[in-house]
Amino acid sequence: FQVLAKIVIRQLNLTKQLMDDNHKEEIYTEINNNERIIDSIEVKIRNEVINMIVLYSPRATNLRMIISYYDMTAYLEIAVDDCLFTTYKKDLLKMLSLTESMTQNAIFAFTCEDIQLAKETIETDDQVDELHHFIGQHLPTQCFDKILSQQEVTDALCINSMAYNIERIGDNATNIAEAAIYLIEGENIKHWPK
C-alpha cells in the first residue's frame, strides 16, 4: 500500500510537469509504466485482502482496517490524460495542487490514524469543488455565440475533462479520509452532510 501511495503521488506530480512542458517523451513513458505498476499492486492488494478474510477470520477492528485498505486501492486508481491547455492552466494547477495535498494527507491520516488530518482533507474538497464549478460555469460562456475552430472545441472539451478528472481525484482522497475515520472511530460518514 505504501508503494502504491507513493506511485500515485508521483503520477500527480508528473501531471503537473506535463502542464508546463508536454514535449518530454520520458514523462509519458513514466506515466504509462507507473499505470502498469499501479494496476498490478491493486490486484495484489485485492488478493491479500481476500486471503486475510478467508484464512484468518479477523476481529472487527482488523476487519475494518482490511476493508478500508481494500476500498482505498480503488480510490488511488487515477487516470491521467495527455491533453493540454493554456486558458485555465492556473485554475487547473491549483486544483491539482490541492488534490495532491489531499491525497498525501488522506493517506497519512489513514496510515497514522490521524482523525484531524482526515477531517481537514474532507474540508479541502470544498475548494476543489469550487474551482471545478468555476471552470464549468465560465468555460461555456467563453464559447457562447462564437464559431469555434476544431482545435478550440477540442481544447474546451479537454479543459472540461481535466477539471472533472482532477475533481474526482479530490473526491477519492475524501473517500480515503472517510475510510480513515471509519478505521479510527468505527463510524461510516459517507454521504453525511458537512
Side-chain angles (χ1 to χ4, degrees):
F1 180 77
Q2 298 278 341
V3 173
L4 176 63
K6 285 180 184 175
I7 294 172
V8 167
I9 298 299
R10 177 69 181 151
Q11 291 290 76
L12 290 170
N13 186 272
L14 289 169
T15 302
K16 285 197 294 191
Q17 288 179 39
L18 281 177
M19 288 187 179
D20 288 327
D21 183 2
N22 68 329
H23 299 295
K24 293 184 177 177
E25 190 62 36
E26 64 270 12
I27 295 177
Y28 292 104
T29 302
E30 185 176 349
I31 286 173
N32 289 329
N33 290 339
N34 287 345
E35 278 301 311
R36 284 192 287 278
I37 294 168
I38 288 169
D39 289 343
S40 67
I41 292 173
E42 181 185 5
V43 169
K44 182 174 174 36
I45 289 174
R46 187 181 312 126
N47 290 338
E48 289 293 323
V49 165
I50 292 168
N51 286 339
M52 284 182 166
I53 292 172
V54 171
L55 297 175
Y56 300 107
S57 302
R59 294 186 326 215
T61 54
N62 292 333
L63 186 58
R64 280 200 311 266
M65 179 180 288
I66 291 167
I67 295 301
S68 296
Y69 273 110
Y70 180 75
D71 284 346
M72 282 196 304
T73 58
Y75 300 143
L76 286 175
E77 183 74 34
I78 296 173
V80 179
D81 295 322
D82 61 3
C83 53
L84 298 170
F85 59 88
T86 55
T87 310
Y88 288 91
K89 181 177 177 179
K90 180 181 170 191
D91 295 319
L92 289 166
L93 280 171
K94 176 71 173 171
M95 286 179 74
L96 198 52
S97 188
L98 285 168
T99 56
E100 181 180 18
S101 175
M102 286 175 68
T103 303
Q104 289 174 331
N105 290 344
I107 292 166
F108 185 83
F110 183 84
T111 56
C112 296
E113 297 187 20
D114 186 328
I115 192 86
Q116 186 59 38
L117 196 55
K119 290 178 179 178
E120 289 172 16
T121 301
I122 293 168
E123 291 169 7
T124 303
D125 191 45
D126 290 339
Q127 295 174 49
V128 175
D129 290 343
E130 285 174 20
L131 286 164
H132 179 237
H133 182 72
F134 172 82
I135 292 170
Q137 291 290 314
H138 287 84
L139 186 59
T141 61
Q142 289 185 328
C143 300
F144 186 72
D145 260 356
K146 284 184 180 178
I147 297 174
L148 301 176
S149 70
Q150 183 176 353
Q151 185 60 51
E152 288 170 326
V153 171
T154 301
D155 289 348
L157 291 172
C158 288
I159 292 165
N160 188 57
S161 176
M162 291 180 78
Y164 171 79
N165 285 314
I166 295 169
E167 191 269 340
R168 289 295 303 135
I169 294 169
D171 288 345
N172 286 338
T174 298
N175 291 338
I176 293 170
E178 289 170 348
I181 292 171
Y182 175 73
L183 171 66
I184 298 162
E185 296 185 338
E187 187 174 5
N188 186 349
I189 65 164
K190 287 180 184 281
H191 310 299
W192 280 21
K194 293 181 181 178

